[in-house]
């Protein structure tokens, strides 16, 4: 089970077992991955229970029933399908050529973290689907100025807030940014702003409750601190590590980790697998080029709806990443070494799936570059490169069975989900990442 799936399943099982719709985070325990019986190991999740409560009602009984995971995964596939459908609808509204349609949808569907995540039990699926719906609705709002698109976008913002804090920050930031541009361009109706503010209050309500309970909207449970201070099981990530990093060095490590985790591999990569990491770098460079031209048109007050979404979306993603990096660095300083041994806190938790609620913004920005090349011979070549890059990464970047077999042999007997629980201060509780 990947993407912390067992922890998410355990959260659902706890709600089913206790009937507690809002459990204390420190009361959560993990299931045994074989028997699906509760263990004494503390859960490290600190998300609101709303997603888990819904699946507890809709899904099968979990405790003692390993087969229940199939039903839970199917529910997550349904959630992911809603998000994909919204992005397909968005593509259909952009009047793209056939090759541009492929350049839009292939990078979305073949993102290495997307398909496995969509088929697993994880609150990120609700955040990603909510973000995808919000991107579609806000694009239509900027195009048509029809009020029902605002209502859909704000509903998606609430849904993202019910999933996780990073999802709420990104989707809420996108809604706020697009409305700000529309106010500046005098294309926003007055009553939209109080409606959006009220929706933001509803979506942010779980974090106000957390603040009242724990003194932080992103509390750190004992189980989370226990995981952060566990020895890092993969030596490849901490070769030569003897001391904590300066913030500039950590920022570089954060960026490298983000690229590396686009194809999440727990093994040491071959040179070919390393080379395939050029695919997300290529996509990001293209997106920045598209954002630059979009920002110029926005500055001249002559943007398209796509321009608005791209500029606001990338700005929000950058701000979120900066906040995330600061929180992560605080953990690095405090918990990176235990008895001289590197821990999980040493390596940045720069997981691309955290940013996938706004993942559609990158190929949307790349479409702006394609549009500028429509009368050029480079158009087909560039579109083909956007399509081929994620395919090559899937075919050539994934680890072989031999690599996985070697990894299993190396970490035989190690269960990374069984975390020890440490005593933590109130200061530590307020330093958890969003």
């Amino acid at each position: 089970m990947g993407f912390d799936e067992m922890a998410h399943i355990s959260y659902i099982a706890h709600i089913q077992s206790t009937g507690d719709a809002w459990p204390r985070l420190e009361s959560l325990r993990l299931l045994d991955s074989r028997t699906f019986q509760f263990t004494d190991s503390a859960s490290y999740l600190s998300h609101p229970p709303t997603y888990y409560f819904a699946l507890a009602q809709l899904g099968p009984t979990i405790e003692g029933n390993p087969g229940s995971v199939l039903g839970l995964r199917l529910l997550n596939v349904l959630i992911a399908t809603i998000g994909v459908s919204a992005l397909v609808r968005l593509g259909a509204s952009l009047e793209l050529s056939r090759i541009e349609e492929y350049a839009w949808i292939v990078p979305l569907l073949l993102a290495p973290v997307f398909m496995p995540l969509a088929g697993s039990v994880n609150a990120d699926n609700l955040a990603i689907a909510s973000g995808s719906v919000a991107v579609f609705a806000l694009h239509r709002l900027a195009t048509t100025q029809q009020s029902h698109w605002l209502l859909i976008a704000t509903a998606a913002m609430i849904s993202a807030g019910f999933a996780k804090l990073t999802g709420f920050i990104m989707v809420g930031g996108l809604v706020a940014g697009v409305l700000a541009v529309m106010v500046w361009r005098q294309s926003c109706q007055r009553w939209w702003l109080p409606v959006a503010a009220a929706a933001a209050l509803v979506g942010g309500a779980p974090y106000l409750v957390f603040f009242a309970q724990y003194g932080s909207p992103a509390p750190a449970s004992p189980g989370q601190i226990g995981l952060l201070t566990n020895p890092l099981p993969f030596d490849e990530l901490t070769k030569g590590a003897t001391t904590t990093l300066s913030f500039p060095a950590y920022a570089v490590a954060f960026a490298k980790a983000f690229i590396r985790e686009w194809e999440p591999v727990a093994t040491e990569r071959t040179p070919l697998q390393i080379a395939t990491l050029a695919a997300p770098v290529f996509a990001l460079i293209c997106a920045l080029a598209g954002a630059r031209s979009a920002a110029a048109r926005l500055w001249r007050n002559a943007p398209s709806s796509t321009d608005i979404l791209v500029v606001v979306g990338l700005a929000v993603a950058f701000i979120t990443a900066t906040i995330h990096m600061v929180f992560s660095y605080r953990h690095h300083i405090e918990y990176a070494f235990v008895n001289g041994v590197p821990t999980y806190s040493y390596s940045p938790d720069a997981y691309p799936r955290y940013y996938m609620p706004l993942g559609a913004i990158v190929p949307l920005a790349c479409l702006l570059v394609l549009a500028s090349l429509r009368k050029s011979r480079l158009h087909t070549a560039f579109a083909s490169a956007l399509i081929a890059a994620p395919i090559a990464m899937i075919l050539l970047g994934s680890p072989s069975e031999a690599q996985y077999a070697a990894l299993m042999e190396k970490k035989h007997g190690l269960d990374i989900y069984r975390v020890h629980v440490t005593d933590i201060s109130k200061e530590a509780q307020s330093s958890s990442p969003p």
Side-chain angles (χ1 to χ4, degrees), residues 19-20 23 28 48 72 122 126 182 191 194 215 260 281 329 373 392 414:
D20 188 355
L28 300 176
L72 295 172
N122 195 302
L126 180 58
M182 295 185 73
W191 65 269
R260 184 180 64 237
V281 176
Y329 185 64
L373 297 174
L414 176 64

Side-chain angles (χ1 to χ4, degrees), residues 170-340:
M170 284 186 283
V171 178
L174 187 68
V175 171
V178 170
L179 287 179
V181 171
M182 295 185 73
V183 168
W184 172 53
R185 302 190 68 214
Q186 299 181 344
S187 58
C188 176
Q189 297 186 38
R190 291 184 179 180
W191 65 269
W192 289 358
L193 298 182
V195 168
L201 184 62
V202 174
Y207 310 102
L208 297 177
V209 174
F210 275 168
F211 188 85
Q213 288 181 304
Y214 306 102
S216 170
S221 66
Q224 185 181 84
I225 300 301
L227 178 64
L228 290 172
T229 55
N230 259 10
L232 195 66
F234 308 120
D235 295 340
E236 291 81 359
L237 300 179
T238 55
K239 284 181 178 178
T242 58
T243 185
T244 56
L245 303 172
S246 66
F247 185 75
Y250 189 81
V252 172
F254 191 95
K256 289 181 178 179
F258 183 88
I259 298 301
R260 184 180 64 237
E261 291 298 325
W262 191 247
E263 174 70 78
V265 172
T267 66
E268 192 164 12
R269 300 174 198 265
T270 66
L272 178 60
Q273 290 165 350
I274 293 174
T276 63
L277 295 176
V281 176
F282 169 68
L284 289 173
I285 292 173
C286 294
L288 290 175
R292 183 177 180 274
S293 60
R297 288 186 290 270
L298 183 59
W299 182 256
R300 298 194 302 267
N301 198 21
S304 67
S305 299
T306 301
D307 292 334
I308 295 172
L309 266 291
V310 165
V311 172
V312 173
L314 288 180
V316 169
F318 178 79
I319 292 170
T320 304
T322 302
I323 296 171
H324 181 191
M325 191 186 308
V326 170
F327 273 105
S328 184
Y329 185 64
R330 291 170 66 184
H331 281 162
H332 174 81
I333 292 298
E334 190 164 0
Y335 304 119
F337 291 90
V338 172
N339 299 324

Side-chain angles (χ1 to χ4, degrees), residues 374-431:
R374 279 179 178 167
K375 297 181 180 180
S376 166
R377 294 180 179 179
L378 293 176
H379 180 269
T380 300
F382 183 67
S384 299
L386 291 173
I387 297 167
I391 295 175
M393 193 170 191
I394 292 290
L395 295 178
L396 305 177
S398 301
S400 65
E401 291 186 11
Q403 285 177 293
Y404 271 126
L407 173 66
M408 293 300 104
E409 180 66 24
K410 182 175 182 179
K411 70 180 193 121
H412 178 68
L414 176 64
D415 185 352
I416 65 173
Y417 294 111
R418 293 191 176 276
V419 300
H420 64 272
V421 177
T422 59
D423 292 327
I424 54 175
S425 65
K426 291 183 179 179
E427 289 77 18
Q429 291 186 33
S430 65
S431 64

Side-chain angles (χ1 to χ4, degrees), residues 76-93 101 104-111 113-119 124-137 356-357 359-360:
N76 278 267
V77 169
L78 177 61
I79 293 171
T81 301
I82 294 172
V84 171
S85 299
L87 297 180
V88 171
R89 287 283 307 277
L90 174 56
S93 71
E101 289 178 355
W104 160 247
I105 203 65
V106 169
L108 290 170
L109 295 182
L110 294 189
V113 295
F114 176 70
M115 284 299 183
L117 181 63
D124 281 310
N125 285 317
L126 180 58
I128 294 168
S130 300
S132 299
V133 171
V135 168
F136 170 54
M356 286 194 71

